[in-house]
């Protein structure tokens, strides 16, 4: 076997090194800012900060997708076999000369690689979070949550990395890109559980008593929102946002012409499973089903917000939930009537992720209301 037959791990190593250097910044800040705190307090800050940076990563991932930068570097993990677009300047210039608007341009290459650097940095923070949790367990100290939670999160972020690689190597395959989006949402939920438990322990906060039916409503609403995120991801990855150009009707009709072949799952971007091009009517069906389901989800979110008024200790979460729901409606409407502005599109993805974070926050904060004893 010659050296040409071996896989070149140099780009991967350099990308990992870049991510580690980026992750070192938050870690050093936590150590310096809380150098006099207990290890458990530093673990809490790390969990909250990792959640915050992971949310930023999801937002930047949306920006990467919406600027068509997903193939800015058409290989993985590097860019034309290099660790950054600087080393790939000649290859990118040639690709840009052939197709000036993409998919490969210098700007898109940088957006794609920055996304990979940030994702690697988040992975590094989760490794530190996991190692710190197990070290705390080894020391015999009290913990608000099992170290298996950050361990599961680490496994999940590795799976996310695999889907990120497949997103590029499979040329934006809609099912893979949608799963990558959903994986980011699940990652935020896992980190929210840990951040909430650590904060409750650090601030000596108990669970808020919530009626069983209300806790059930939180769970059902979360499932509905997750389904809507799936539909929204399918709209975005199939570029069906502008398939309906009017509101509340779609293309001047309450029930426009639709072809549900667009919901064939395993197919390349722009094509159906039989190799034929996807029709406009199929894109309309993808868009309109997302819109119709949105009415149910918004109603469920607002109903949950109304019901939470009976739990004063969840006032903060309730305000976030209602505010994000209204923002989500506004940005979704803006995507249609304002011809898909970038700011609204990114905020729409971020708003959906934030709603899932808030619902997870509520679930972790709420405890079962103690049963009332029958009067004698």
């Amino acid at each position: 076997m010659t050296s040409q037959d071996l896989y070149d791990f140099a780009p991967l190593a350099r990308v990992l090194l870049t991510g580690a250097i980026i992750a070192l910044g938050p870690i050093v800040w936590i150590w310096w800012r809380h150098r006099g705190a207990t290890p458990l307090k530093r673990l809490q800050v790390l969990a909250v900060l990792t959640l915050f940076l992971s949310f930023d990563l999801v937002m930047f991932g949306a920006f990467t997708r919406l600027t068509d930068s997903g193939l800015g570097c058409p290989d993985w993990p590097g860019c034309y076999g290099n660790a950054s677009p600087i080393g790939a300047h000649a290859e990118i210039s040639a690709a840009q000369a052939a197709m000036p608007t993409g998919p490969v341009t210098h700007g898109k290459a940088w957006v794609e690689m920055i996304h990979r650097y940030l994702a690697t940095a988040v992975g590094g923070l989760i490794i530190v979070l996991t190692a710190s949790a197990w070290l705390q367990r080894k020391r015999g100290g009290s913990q608000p949550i099992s170290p298996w939670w950050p361990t599961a999160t680490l496994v999940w972020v590795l799976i996310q990395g695999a889907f990120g690689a497949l997103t590029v190597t499979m040329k934006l395959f809609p099912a893979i890109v949608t799963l990558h989006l959903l994986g980011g949402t699940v990652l935020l939920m896992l980190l929210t559980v840990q951040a909430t438990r650590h904060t409750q322990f650090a601030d000596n906060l108990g669970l808020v008593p919530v009626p069983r039916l209300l806790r059930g409503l939180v769970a059902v609403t979360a499932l509905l929102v997750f389904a809507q995120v799936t539909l929204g991801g399918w709209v975005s990855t199939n570029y069906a946002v502008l398939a309906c150009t009017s509101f509340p009707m779609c293309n001047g009709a309450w029930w426009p012409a639709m072809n549900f072949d667009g919901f064939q799952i395993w197919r390349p971007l722009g094509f159906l499973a039989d190799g034929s091009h996807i029709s406009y009517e199929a894109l309309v069906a993808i868009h309109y089903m997302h819109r119709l389901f949105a009415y149910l989800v918004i109603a469920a979110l607002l109903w949950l917000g109304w019901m939470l008024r009976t739990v004063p200790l969840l006032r903060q979460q309730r305000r976030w939930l209602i505010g994000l729901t209204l923002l989500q409606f506004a940005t979704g409407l803006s995507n249609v009537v304002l011809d898909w502005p970038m700011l609204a599109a990114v905020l729409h993805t971020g708003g959906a992720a934030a709603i899932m974070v808030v619902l997870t926050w509520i679930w972790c904060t709420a405890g079962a209301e103690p049963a009332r004893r029958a009067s004698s």
Side-chain angles (χ1 to χ4, degrees), residues 292-308:
L292 292 178
F293 198 72
Y295 299 139
L296 172 63
V297 173
I298 289 174
L301 286 167
L302 293 178
W303 176 248
L304 176 60
W306 172 257
M307 294 298 294
L308 286 173

Side-chain angles (χ1 to χ4, degrees), residues 22 51-72 85 106-122 160 167 177 180-181 184 188 236 342-343 345-351 353:
I22 296 173
L51 170 61
F52 174 77
L53 294 177
S54 297
F55 183 83
D56 293 342
L57 176 62
V58 169
M59 294 282 283
F60 196 83
F63 178 76
T64 302
R65 183 177 69 256
L66 294 166
T67 55
D68 293 326
S69 300
L71 296 179
H106 287 284
K108 292 179 179 180
W110 274 110
V111 170
E112 171 64 11
M113 287 308 299
I114 289 173
H115 177 59
R116 296 182 194 179
Y117 298 149
L118 294 177
T120 306
V122 166
Q160 266 295 89
T167 294
V177 180
H180 192 49
L181 170 65
L188 292 177
S236 180
M342 179 60 64
L343 178 60
V346 173
L347 286 176
H348 196 60
T349 299

Side-chain angles (χ1 to χ4, degrees), residues 299-320:
L301 286 167
L302 293 178
W303 176 248
L304 176 60
W306 172 257
M307 294 298 294
L308 286 173
R309 79 191 190 284
T310 61
V311 188
L313 292 177
L314 294 178
R315 183 182 298 110
Q316 183 181 12
Q317 291 90 331
R318 175 175 177 263
R319 289 173 177 173
W320 273 105

Side-chain angles (χ1 to χ4, degrees), residues 317-332:
Q317 291 90 331
R318 175 175 177 263
R319 289 173 177 173
W320 273 105
L321 187 67
I322 294 175
L324 287 169
T325 301
L326 296 177
L327 174 66
Q328 201 60 1
F329 176 79
T331 54

Side-chain angles (χ1 to χ4, degrees), residues 68-135:
D68 293 326
S69 300
L71 296 179
C73 289
D75 54 333
W76 189 93
C79 192
Y80 288 98
N82 295 274
S84 79
I86 296 176
H89 186 273
E91 291 87 347
I92 297 172
S93 295
Q96 187 169 343
M99 297 183 66
T101 60
V104 179
T105 67
H106 287 284
K108 292 179 179 180
W110 274 110
V111 170
E112 171 64 11
M113 287 308 299
I114 289 173
H115 177 59
R116 296 182 194 179
Y117 298 149
L118 294 177
T120 306
V122 166
L125 291 173
I126 292 173
I127 290 174
V128 174
L129 185 65
T130 304
S132 300
W134 282 108
L135 183 59

Side-chain angles (χ1 to χ4, degrees), residues 220-245:
V220 171
T221 304
L223 290 174
L224 290 174
V225 173
F226 194 83
Q228 179 67 349
V229 171
T230 305
L231 289 173
W234 198 241
V235 171
S236 180
T237 56
N238 283 280
Y239 295 89
V241 175
L242 298 180
C244 291
T245 56

